[in-house]
Amino acid sequence: SLYQALDEYTAPTEIDNYTTEKCHVTRATRHVTLDQLPAVLTVQIQRASFDRLTNQSAKLNTSFHFPKVLSLD
C-alpha cells in the first residue's frame, strides 16, 4: 500500500563508512521527514527489481493500493 511505501521511505537507514566534509569516515543515520505536502502529491512507484546474483532485472506484478484520500497525520 502507499502507506507502507511511505513508512519504508521515511524509516531511518544506517550508513556505514560515511565520509564527512572533513574526510572523516564514520557511521551515520539517514532519515526523511515530510513536514509539509502540496495539495496534489505526485508519487512514482518503482515497478522493477534487480537481482545481483543473476545480473537480471524483473518486472514486479504485485498489486499496489492507492487510497483516494491520503491522511498523513
Side-chain angles (χ1 to χ4, degrees):
S1 77
L2 183 57
Y3 288 110
Q4 287 176 313
L6 288 171
D7 284 342
E8 290 177 20
Y9 180 71
T10 57
T13 305
E14 296 292 325
I15 303 171
D16 293 324
N17 301 323
Y18 176 77
T19 304
T20 65
E21 293 175 358
K22 296 184 179 183
C23 296
H24 293 106
V25 177
T26 187
R27 193 167 196 208
T29 302
R30 174 194 164 271
H31 64 273
V32 174
T33 57
L34 303 173
D35 293 328
Q36 187 174 0
L37 297 175
V40 176
L41 180 66
T42 303
V43 178
Q44 185 176 12
I45 307 299
Q46 181 177 343
R47 302 295 294 168
S49 65
F50 185 76
D51 187 343
R52 291 185 180 183
L53 296 175
T54 62
N55 205 29
Q56 293 183 353
S57 61
K59 182 179 177 183
L60 300 175
N61 293 316
T62 55
S63 63
F64 196 89
H65 174 65
F66 290 92
K68 290 186 183 211
V69 176
L70 185 62
S71 177
L72 296 177
D73 295 332

